[in-house]
mmCIF file of all heavy atoms in Angstrom:
data_model
loop_
_atom_site.group_PDB
_atom_site.id
_atom_site.type_symbol
_atom_site.label_atom_id
_atom_site.label_comp_id
_atom_site.label_asym_id
_atom_site.label_seq_id
_atom_site.Cartn_x
_atom_site.Cartn_y
_atom_site.Cartn_z
ATOM 1 N N CYS A 178 106.342 127.014 118.500
ATOM 2 C CA CYS A 178 106.853 127.558 117.233
ATOM 3 C C CYS A 178 106.559 129.046 117.209
ATOM 4 O O CYS A 178 105.407 129.470 117.091
ATOM 5 C CB CYS A 178 106.212 126.845 116.045
ATOM 6 S SG CYS A 178 106.622 125.102 116.008
ATOM 7 N N ASP A 179 107.606 129.835 117.367
ATOM 8 C CA ASP A 179 107.463 131.273 117.548
ATOM 9 C C ASP A 179 108.007 132.011 116.328
ATOM 10 O O ASP A 179 109.214 131.971 116.060
ATOM 11 C CB ASP A 179 108.225 131.691 118.821
ATOM 12 C CG ASP A 179 107.935 133.127 119.192
ATOM 13 O OD1 ASP A 179 107.188 133.808 118.458
ATOM 14 O OD2 ASP A 179 108.479 133.580 120.226
ATOM 15 N N GLU A 180 107.097 132.696 115.640
ATOM 16 C CA GLU A 180 107.501 133.437 114.436
ATOM 17 C C GLU A 180 108.435 134.591 114.774
ATOM 18 O O GLU A 180 109.138 135.107 113.916
ATOM 19 C CB GLU A 180 106.272 133.941 113.664
ATOM 20 C CG GLU A 180 105.468 135.045 114.344
ATOM 21 C CD GLU A 180 104.449 134.523 115.369
ATOM 22 O OE1 GLU A 180 104.482 133.327 115.687
ATOM 23 O OE2 GLU A 180 103.640 135.340 115.843
ATOM 24 N N LEU A 202 102.980 123.563 119.113
ATOM 25 C CA LEU A 202 102.021 124.672 119.119
ATOM 26 C C LEU A 202 102.273 125.601 117.932
ATOM 27 O O LEU A 202 103.376 126.117 117.755
ATOM 28 C CB LEU A 202 102.160 125.473 120.421
ATOM 29 C CG LEU A 202 101.345 126.775 120.493
ATOM 30 C CD1 LEU A 202 99.844 126.507 120.439
ATOM 31 C CD2 LEU A 202 101.692 127.558 121.772
ATOM 32 N N ILE A 203 101.221 125.775 117.131
ATOM 33 C CA ILE A 203 101.274 126.671 115.968
ATOM 34 C C ILE A 203 100.205 127.752 116.153
ATOM 35 O O ILE A 203 99.022 127.431 116.411
ATOM 36 C CB ILE A 203 100.990 125.895 114.656
ATOM 37 C CG1 ILE A 203 101.989 124.731 114.458
ATOM 38 C CG2 ILE A 203 100.984 126.836 113.445
ATOM 39 C CD1 ILE A 203 103.414 125.152 114.161
ATOM 40 N N GLY A 204 100.592 128.995 115.998
ATOM 41 C CA GLY A 204 99.663 130.110 116.185
ATOM 42 C C GLY A 204 98.796 130.369 114.968
ATOM 43 O O GLY A 204 98.926 129.698 113.944
ATOM 44 N N PRO A 205 97.909 131.362 115.074
ATOM 45 C CA PRO A 205 97.031 131.703 113.952
ATOM 46 C C PRO A 205 97.778 132.561 112.925
ATOM 47 O O PRO A 205 98.945 132.929 113.156
ATOM 48 C CB PRO A 205 95.937 132.533 114.628
ATOM 49 C CG PRO A 205 96.649 133.191 115.766
ATOM 50 C CD PRO A 205 97.718 132.237 116.221
ATOM 51 N N GLU A 206 97.133 132.894 111.826
ATOM 52 C CA GLU A 206 97.783 133.711 110.780
ATOM 53 C C GLU A 206 98.280 135.034 111.339
ATOM 54 O O GLU A 206 99.271 135.590 110.873
ATOM 55 C CB GLU A 206 96.842 133.937 109.592
ATOM 56 C CG GLU A 206 96.623 132.697 108.727
ATOM 57 C CD GLU A 206 97.897 132.075 108.152
ATOM 58 O OE1 GLU A 206 98.980 132.680 108.221
ATOM 59 O OE2 GLU A 206 97.796 130.935 107.649
ATOM 60 N N GLY A 207 97.602 135.539 112.367
ATOM 61 C CA GLY A 207 98.019 136.811 112.964
ATOM 62 C C GLY A 207 99.172 136.665 113.959
ATOM 63 O O GLY A 207 99.651 137.662 114.516
ATOM 64 N N GLY A 208 99.583 135.454 114.225
ATOM 65 C CA GLY A 208 100.679 135.209 115.162
ATOM 66 C C GLY A 208 100.236 135.319 116.621
ATOM 67 O O GLY A 208 99.051 135.511 116.920
ATOM 68 N N PHE A 209 101.190 135.171 117.538
ATOM 69 C CA PHE A 209 100.907 135.260 118.979
ATOM 70 C C PHE A 209 100.994 136.712 119.418
ATOM 71 O O PHE A 209 101.798 137.478 118.886
ATOM 72 C CB PHE A 209 101.908 134.419 119.764
ATOM 73 C CG PHE A 209 101.766 132.953 119.507
ATOM 74 C CD1 PHE A 209 102.628 132.288 118.651
ATOM 75 C CD2 PHE A 209 100.734 132.228 120.096
ATOM 76 C CE1 PHE A 209 102.492 130.937 118.390
ATOM 77 C CE2 PHE A 209 100.590 130.871 119.847
ATOM 78 C CZ PHE A 209 101.463 130.223 118.990
ATOM 79 N N VAL A 226 111.045 127.576 119.703
ATOM 80 C CA VAL A 226 111.907 127.346 118.532
ATOM 81 C C VAL A 226 111.506 128.252 117.378
ATOM 82 O O VAL A 226 110.370 128.702 117.277
ATOM 83 C CB VAL A 226 111.856 125.885 118.006
ATOM 84 C CG1 VAL A 226 112.507 124.930 118.977
ATOM 85 C CG2 VAL A 226 110.460 125.453 117.629
ATOM 86 N N SER A 227 112.483 128.440 116.494
ATOM 87 C CA SER A 227 112.235 129.082 115.212
ATOM 88 C C SER A 227 112.257 127.995 114.143
ATOM 89 O O SER A 227 113.033 127.041 114.233
ATOM 90 C CB SER A 227 113.342 130.099 114.933
ATOM 91 O OG SER A 227 113.345 130.404 113.550
ATOM 92 N N LEU A 228 111.408 128.179 113.136
ATOM 93 C CA LEU A 228 111.415 127.248 111.992
ATOM 94 C C LEU A 228 112.251 127.815 110.844
ATOM 95 O O LEU A 228 112.144 127.350 109.723
ATOM 96 C CB LEU A 228 109.985 126.981 111.517
ATOM 97 C CG LEU A 228 109.043 126.309 112.524
ATOM 98 C CD1 LEU A 228 107.622 126.250 111.968
ATOM 99 C CD2 LEU A 228 109.521 124.899 112.850
ATOM 100 N N GLY A 229 113.028 128.817 111.138
ATOM 101 C CA GLY A 229 113.885 129.401 110.102
ATOM 102 C C GLY A 229 113.580 130.871 109.901
ATOM 103 O O GLY A 229 112.646 131.407 110.497
ATOM 104 N N ARG A 231 112.343 132.505 107.465
ATOM 105 C CA ARG A 231 111.153 132.874 106.698
ATOM 106 C C ARG A 231 109.896 132.676 107.525
ATOM 107 O O ARG A 231 109.755 131.626 108.165
ATOM 108 C CB ARG A 231 111.055 132.011 105.417
ATOM 109 C CG ARG A 231 112.106 132.348 104.382
ATOM 110 C CD ARG A 231 112.304 131.196 103.426
ATOM 111 N NE ARG A 231 112.877 130.033 104.127
ATOM 112 C CZ ARG A 231 114.183 129.844 104.312
ATOM 113 N NH1 ARG A 231 115.044 130.686 103.830
ATOM 114 N NH2 ARG A 231 114.630 128.795 105.000
ATOM 115 N N ILE A 232 108.988 133.648 107.494
ATOM 116 C CA ILE A 232 107.687 133.469 108.141
ATOM 117 C C ILE A 232 106.840 132.575 107.232
ATOM 118 O O ILE A 232 106.738 132.818 106.032
ATOM 119 C CB ILE A 232 106.956 134.828 108.320
ATOM 120 C CG1 ILE A 232 107.794 135.786 109.178
ATOM 121 C CG2 ILE A 232 105.563 134.625 108.905
ATOM 122 C CD1 ILE A 232 107.804 135.466 110.645
ATOM 123 N N LEU A 233 106.291 131.548 107.818
ATOM 124 C CA LEU A 233 105.485 130.584 107.048
ATOM 125 C C LEU A 233 104.013 130.803 107.356
ATOM 126 O O LEU A 233 103.655 131.307 108.430
ATOM 127 C CB LEU A 233 105.868 129.152 107.445
ATOM 128 C CG LEU A 233 107.354 128.818 107.386
ATOM 129 C CD1 LEU A 233 107.611 127.453 108.013
ATOM 130 C CD2 LEU A 233 107.843 128.849 105.944
ATOM 131 N N ARG A 234 103.158 130.386 106.452
ATOM 132 C CA ARG A 234 101.729 130.360 106.767
ATOM 133 C C ARG A 234 101.554 129.316 107.856
ATOM 134 O O ARG A 234 102.326 128.348 107.955
ATOM 135 C CB ARG A 234 100.924 129.951 105.540
ATOM 136 C CG ARG A 234 101.000 130.942 104.427
ATOM 137 C CD ARG A 234 100.063 130.525 103.326
ATOM 138 N NE ARG A 234 98.698 130.803 103.727
ATOM 139 C CZ ARG A 234 97.809 131.436 102.959
ATOM 140 N NH1 ARG A 234 98.135 131.805 101.742
ATOM 141 N NH2 ARG A 234 96.596 131.646 103.401
ATOM 142 N N ALA A 235 100.487 129.478 108.637
ATOM 143 C CA ALA A 235 100.293 128.576 109.774
ATOM 144 C C ALA A 235 100.204 127.113 109.326
ATOM 145 O O ALA A 235 100.755 126.222 109.979
ATOM 146 C CB ALA A 235 99.035 128.976 110.529
ATOM 147 N N ALA A 238 103.636 125.946 108.464
ATOM 148 C CA ALA A 238 104.444 125.825 109.691
ATOM 149 C C ALA A 238 104.100 124.529 110.425
ATOM 150 O O ALA A 238 104.996 123.835 110.940
ATOM 151 C CB ALA A 238 104.209 127.035 110.592
HETATM 152 N N1 SAH B 322 101.422 137.181 111.097
HETATM 153 C C1 SAH B 322 102.601 136.734 111.739
HETATM 154 C C2 SAH B 322 102.971 135.324 111.280
HETATM 155 C C3 SAH B 322 102.126 134.235 111.836
HETATM 156 S S1 SAH B 322 102.519 132.752 111.074
HETATM 157 C C4 SAH B 322 103.752 137.641 111.366
HETATM 158 O O1 SAH B 322 103.674 138.292 110.349
HETATM 159 O O2 SAH B 322 104.716 137.653 112.117
HETATM 160 C C5 SAH B 322 101.469 131.608 111.907
HETATM 161 C C6 SAH B 322 102.151 130.683 112.887
HETATM 162 O O3 SAH B 322 103.027 129.824 112.201
HETATM 163 C C7 SAH B 322 102.987 131.360 113.940
HETATM 164 O O4 SAH B 322 102.249 131.818 115.053
HETATM 165 C C8 SAH B 322 103.989 130.281 114.305
HETATM 166 O O5 SAH B 322 103.446 129.376 115.240
HETATM 167 C C9 SAH B 322 104.199 129.575 112.987
HETATM 168 N N2 SAH B 322 105.358 130.072 112.244
HETATM 169 C C10 SAH B 322 105.372 130.622 111.006
HETATM 170 N N3 SAH B 322 106.617 130.900 110.610
HETATM 171 C C11 SAH B 322 107.435 130.532 111.629
HETATM 172 C C12 SAH B 322 108.850 130.540 111.822
HETATM 173 N N4 SAH B 322 109.690 130.996 110.890
HETATM 174 N N5 SAH B 322 109.337 130.051 112.988
HETATM 175 C C13 SAH B 322 108.512 129.575 113.969
HETATM 176 N N6 SAH B 322 107.169 129.528 113.824
HETATM 177 C C14 SAH B 322 106.632 129.990 112.686
#
Side-chain angles (χ1 to χ4, degrees):
C178 297
D179 189 358
E180 69 276 10
L202 173 64
I203 302 291
E206 287 304 348
F209 294 101
V226 291
S227 162
L228 298 174
R231 289 159 294 273
I232 301 285
L233 307 171
R234 295 186 75 132

